[in-house]
Amino acid sequence: MKKMGLVVLIEIAIFAAIALVLDLLPSIHLGASGSISIAMVPIFIIAFRWGFKASATAGFLWGLLQIVTGDLQALAFWQVILEYFLAFACIGFAGLFMPTIQAKLKNGEKGAASLVMVAAILTGSAIRYFWHFLAGVTIWAQYAPEGQSALAYSLFYNGIPFIGASVLCSIVAVILLSAAPRLVLDRPTGRTGYYSGNSQVK
């Protein structure tokens, strides 16, 4: 499997657009710490459906769409690279858990599949927010309250959204995929160049 099929690319575009829309909807506001939403859920669905490469591409596209639509806060070029391209693409690391999740769902082991989903979501979210944390320490540090270190400021500012988004996305994804596992199990097959079973897009 040397390249993604057309259907996979279309799904990536659709789910990245859904993530953008969800990000624009009202969310749980945390004041200075930003907000918590379920916007990552579409990227996690792609991750559990197609694997790492597809979900990393979807995350990257979501970050790009935020820039194109003006839904960004930018202080420097490198901050945009860190927080909109690299951070969002790294959500795709959840896709590394795809074979296990699909195997558990196919065997009817919804409880075990849910635990792996949560682990996948925590992994993708943690890697994403590491880059936000790094940007906070190196770029946003100027906004730290007087007397507070840049490290503590960034840890607090990014840590709360990380925990909140991880928990919220885990709840939504587990409920959704436990009720409708076909969202990740039913994939195109045949001569179309798309893939089924436990294989990942490469």
Side-chain angles (χ1 to χ4, degrees), residues 47-48 93-102 116-117 119-121 123-124:
F48 303 157
F93 275 94
L96 297 177
F97 294 78
M98 183 271 283
T100 303
I101 290 170
Q102 292 209 352
V116 181
M117 287 181 204
I121 290 170
T123 299

Side-chain angles (χ1 to χ4, degrees), residues 10-35:
I10 291 173
E11 288 186 14
I12 286 171
I14 291 173
F15 278 82
I18 293 173
L20 178 67
V21 171
L22 290 175
D23 202 28
L24 296 175
L25 294 178
S27 55
I28 301 173
H29 290 281
L30 301 172
S33 291
S35 61

Side-chain angles (χ1 to χ4, degrees), residues 68-135:
V68 171
T69 59
D71 183 31
L72 81 162
Q73 295 178 318
L75 292 181
F77 172 75
W78 286 111
Q79 179 247 327
V80 173
I81 298 296
L82 285 176
E83 295 204 88
Y84 290 91
F85 291 134
L86 191 54
F88 282 84
C90 282
I91 299 171
F93 275 94
L96 297 177
F97 294 78
M98 183 271 283
T100 303
I101 290 170
Q102 292 209 352
K104 297 295 184 184
L105 288 175
K106 286 179 180 179
N107 291 332
E109 302 174 52
K110 290 186 177 181
S114 296
L115 291 176
V116 181
M117 287 181 204
V118 171
I121 290 170
L122 287 173
T123 299
S125 299
I127 299 175
R128 170 194 170 177
Y129 277 97
F130 166 78
W131 297 110
H132 293 309
F133 168 76
L134 184 61

